[in-house]
Amino acid sequence: DVKVTQSSRYLVKRTGEKVFLECVQDMDHENMFWYRQDPGLGLRLIYFSYDVKMKEKGDIPEGYSVSREKKERFSLILESASTNQTSMYLCASSIYPGPISYEQYFGPGTRLTVT
Amino acid sequence: AQTVTQSQPEMSVQEAETVTLSCTYDTSESDYYLFWYKQPPSRQMILVIRQEAYKQQNATENRFSVNFQKAAKSFSLKISDSQLGDAAMYFCAYRSATGATNKLIFGTGTLLAVQP
């Protein structure tokens, strides 16, 4: 079974803090993704990575950065957390070039509250 | 740019009955993939079913089936014999068949309640 894990289920941080969200996958997937999930907005892509040290901006990258130093690990960084970054953050991975399914496998999510 | 629309924020179904969740999308591409993902309460999102746009036959996975209408850009999910474990948030998603990355575009989700 593919396993995607995230470092924390719940996190509370103060405004202005630097926040690291970690994601690890154990299936040697090339692609990894960070989404944020908000009620009524669905999932929105923040950043994705298609290889080690390679990254691309998604739809809402402002206020975020990412790091992928190893294939299995993809980190989301909030340089200076703000209250509007309070959200559920989901990590996902997929294989590429992939079988026809192109399925993404998701982690359990991190619910971040910024006060 | 492609968009995915789920017009039903919430749905409810009686156990053992059938429910259909709606999804429409907008794209100028002819080749793409469509997905339904399920997110149970406090649990990880999992893939329910996928459809390749070049296939005319509707995908089916056990009690889950889709009605794919390419011309109408509609992709609904039918759940038959609903079970309590089907209660979840359901997301429709689109993926272009071109491009080097497996980027998905999600709808806003439909929260399905199953009544015993």
Side-chain angles (χ1 to χ4, degrees):
Chain A
D1 273 356
V2 175
K3 195 165 187 182
V4 180
T5 57
Q6 295 183 228
S7 50
S8 307
R9 288 302 300 271
Y10 299 94
L11 208 52
V12 180
K13 295 292 182 180
R14 294 200 178 275
T15 303
E17 278 193 81
K18 190 169 186 176
V19 181
F20 292 86
L21 302 183
E22 304 285 336
C23 176
V24 177
Q25 50 93 4
D26 66 356
M27 282 302 292
D28 202 35
H29 284 174
E30 288 83 2
N31 289 1
M32 295 189 74
F33 307 83
W34 275 107
Y35 296 92
R36 67 176 279 176
Q37 180 180 0
D38 298 289
L41 297 177
L43 276 74
R44 293 178 293 167
L45 183 64
I46 304 171
Y47 266 97
F48 62 97
S49 169
Y50 49 91
D51 202 349
V52 175
K53 296 189 187 292
M54 306 300 285
K55 60 187 179 186
E56 280 197 27
K57 293 179 180 179
D59 300 317
I60 52 165
E62 297 78 20
Y64 304 94
S65 62
V66 291
S67 172
R68 193 167 181 200
E69 297 295 321
K70 293 185 178 182
K71 192 174 186 180
E72 67 272 18
R73 188 179 298 270
F74 191 36
S75 303
L76 180 69
I77 304 158
L78 287 66
E79 294 290 342
S80 178
S82 64
T83 55
N84 62 14
Q85 293 178 310
T86 291
S87 186
M88 170 71 86
Y89 290 87
L90 297 177
C91 175
S93 72
S94 70
I95 195 166
Y96 183 84
I100 198 67
S101 66
Y102 296 110
E103 178 177 354
Q104 287 192 17
Y105 297 85
F106 284 83
T110 295
R111 187 165 294 281
L112 173 67
T113 301
V114 182
T115 61
Chain B
Q2 296 87 10
T3 59
V4 177
T5 302
Q6 293 179 251
S7 58
Q8 306 154 316
E10 296 183 12
M11 293 278 287
S12 182
V13 64
Q14 291 292 128
E15 201 175 0
E17 296 197 343
T18 295
V19 65
T20 299
L21 308 184
S22 301
C23 173
T24 58
Y25 57 94
D26 189 27
T27 184
S28 58
E29 299 176 326
S30 59
D31 199 12
Y32 47 86
Y33 303 90
L34 296 165
F35 306 85
W36 279 99
Y37 278 84
K38 172 185 177 182
Q39 187 181 40
S42 301
R43 292 178 60 190
Q44 282 166 256
M45 185 125 56
I46 57 172
L47 179 66
V48 175
I49 199 165
R50 68 177 70 89
Q51 174 80 42
E52 292 86 357
Y54 62 84
K55 290 186 178 178
Q56 292 188 340
Q57 186 172 7
N58 288 326
T60 299
E61 289 286 343
N62 301 314
R63 298 181 295 107
F64 297 87
S65 62
V66 298
N67 183 4
F68 173 49
Q69 301 288 329
K70 191 172 185 179
K73 297 179 182 175
S74 171
F75 182 61
S76 60
L77 174 70
K78 185 171 84 170
I79 307 174
S80 304
D81 186 24
S82 296
Q83 301 175 359
L84 294 177
D86 294 333
M89 180 72 87
Y90 287 83
F91 291 98
C92 178
Y94 170 102
R95 184 206 184 274
S96 171
T98 58
T101 57
N102 189 9
K103 183 178 169 181
L104 292 177
I105 299 168
F106 286 87
T108 53
T110 296
L111 183 62
L112 178 66
V114 180
Q115 308 299 331

